DNA sequence: TAATATTTTTAAGTTTGCTTAAAAATATTT
DNA sequence: AAATATTTTTAAGCAAACTTAAAAATATTA
């Protein structure tokens, strides 16, 4: 059970992220773009990950994680999201500030540390961005959520997550008071550009672009 | 202000540790032994650290930290010790369990993180082993402490630190209830091997070897 | 001082993880 | 199907951070 380098861990996470939505193998260019590296570097690493049996790799056919590789990726995601909860809930960082620190903290090696951190935080099920935190076995709690853009006029929902994680978007949401847990109702859909007039919990009205409503996840109410 | 690799940071810490007691430059073999590496690797790295102006290096004459290098080393020690406090005080690890995790956590890069962690922990001045935590400017709060072995018969002191940090020693101290804050009195010194009969706060008596008393730091009372 | 021992540096080579450039495989158009 | 475009892999090379072995510098001892 030789432990992996941070670099190797980042490759597994990238492959997991690409594969988790679509059910097909991750292709080299997608990984290269995710990790901001050249395709050549990816090909190179895939061979090494394959020889360690962390990925199923056949040249020109894309790559998938083995069960072992997948387990490692899920543990990394668990650690990342637990640390984000720690940073927001305990150290009072805002949700747009925590990702880079969590990228580093997730590589700290100690399963006991993560067990205790989880317990200290009260075994949270979701991170500050509404993303589910897998349990110690890698099981995600799935939630029925849809993009706000999928609601019809007069339908309501509660904000439970975001599809886009950039600081710019998160800060925009803060400014508009569109954080997690806020109840929104679609008052009007402007067909021209699919922008929305919505009302927030406190009766305030707001117009948001389609790009915003597509990246804001709500639970229908 | 190119940021340093974890490896480079570890070299600076090692040099600092070697130089902090004695006032002479650190020699190659001492660093090699501290980092468990060959002398050749050290020579190699010293050239690179020197070109980055983190150390004063002249071949065959040993090495010292520049002001910049020293500042980085002190920040690392600050981070290491604050994380150790976090692990013990918040996550309830014991003092013999935290060092390895802190070795990793100290390399997480974010001055805001360490500022907030320090504030959350109540700006502690000492870590779980009694070692002083430098402030944000790198200033250590010094304490007048001596080895228990330096006490005369009938003199008393309070345990405030350890000179040896191995798990084995720390666990031994736990077993003997010789943790930080415990009041000890030297009842008898056995000249033959310099072992001591001491009494603890609760009136209990105990015999300890010279090796133990030399590594146990007390504040004379 | 000369011989010997120790310490430090240099030289050469390895592994990891990247790069650019070229070649090869696969996919898309015409 | 042939031509063209895209994707992926291979080849060659580089930098960081190590190793072992040999050489050089310094220190100790006779
Ligand atoms: Mn994140
Ligand atoms: Mn997140
Ligand atoms: Mn420590
Ligand atoms: Mn400590």
């Amino acid at each position: 059970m030789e432990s992996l380098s941070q670099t190797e861990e980042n490759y597994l996470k990238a492959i997991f992220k690409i594969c988790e939505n679509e059910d097909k193998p991750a292709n080299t260019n997608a990984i290269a773009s995710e990790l901001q590296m050249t395709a050549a570097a990816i090909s190179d690493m895939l061979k090494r990950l394959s020889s360690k049996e962390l990925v199923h790799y056949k040249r020109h056919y894309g790559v998938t994680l083995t069960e072992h590789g997948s387990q490692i990726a899920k543990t990394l995601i668990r650690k990342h999201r637990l640390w984000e909860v720690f940073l927001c809930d305990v150290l009072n960082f805002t949700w747009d500030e925590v990702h880079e620190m969590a990228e580093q903290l997730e590589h700290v090696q100690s399963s006991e540390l993560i067990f205790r951190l989880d317990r200290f935080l009260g075994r949270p099920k979701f991170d500050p961005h509404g993303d589910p935190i897998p349990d110690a076995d890698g099981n995600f709690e799935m939630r029925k959520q849809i993009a706000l853009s999928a609601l019809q006029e007069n339908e309501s929902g509660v904000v439970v997550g975001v599809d886009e994680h950039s600081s710019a978007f998160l800060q925009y949401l803060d400014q508009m008071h569109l954080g997690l847990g806020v109840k929104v109702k679609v008052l009007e859909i402007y067909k021209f550009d699919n922008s929305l007039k919505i009302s927030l919990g406190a009766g305030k009205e707001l117009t948001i672009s389609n790009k915003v409503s597509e990246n804001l996840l709500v639970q229908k109410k």
Side-chain angles (χ1 to χ4, degrees), chain A residues 86-101:
Chain A
F86 169 77
L87 294 170
C88 285
D89 288 10
V90 180
L91 298 189
N92 297 117
F93 281 101
T94 53
W95 67 347
D96 58 297
E97 296 175 317
V98 297
H99 180 74
E100 283 311 307
M101 286 177 277

Side-chain angles (χ1 to χ4, degrees), chain A residues 68-135:
Chain A
H68 186 199
S70 182
Q71 207 50 242
I72 292 172
K74 286 185 244 172
T75 299
L76 284 166
I77 290 167
R78 172 171 166 77
K79 290 158 82 181
H80 182 102
R81 293 181 180 168
L82 282 172
W83 278 115
E84 285 190 344
V85 172
F86 169 77
L87 294 170
C88 285
D89 288 10
V90 180
L91 298 189
N92 297 117
F93 281 101
T94 53
W95 67 347
D96 58 297
E97 296 175 317
V98 297
H99 180 74
E100 283 311 307
M101 286 177 277
E103 284 288 308
Q104 300 177 62
L105 287 163
E106 75 191 7
H107 298 292
V108 174
Q109 303 219 336
S110 166
S111 49
E112 181 64 22
L113 171 57
I114 220 62
F115 174 82
R116 289 185 185 224
L117 182 65
D118 180 46
R119 191 177 54 187
F120 171 68
L121 296 172
R123 308 200 191 280
K125 295 282 165 290
F126 298 94
D127 86 357
H129 310 102
D131 294 314
I133 299 173
D135 67 23

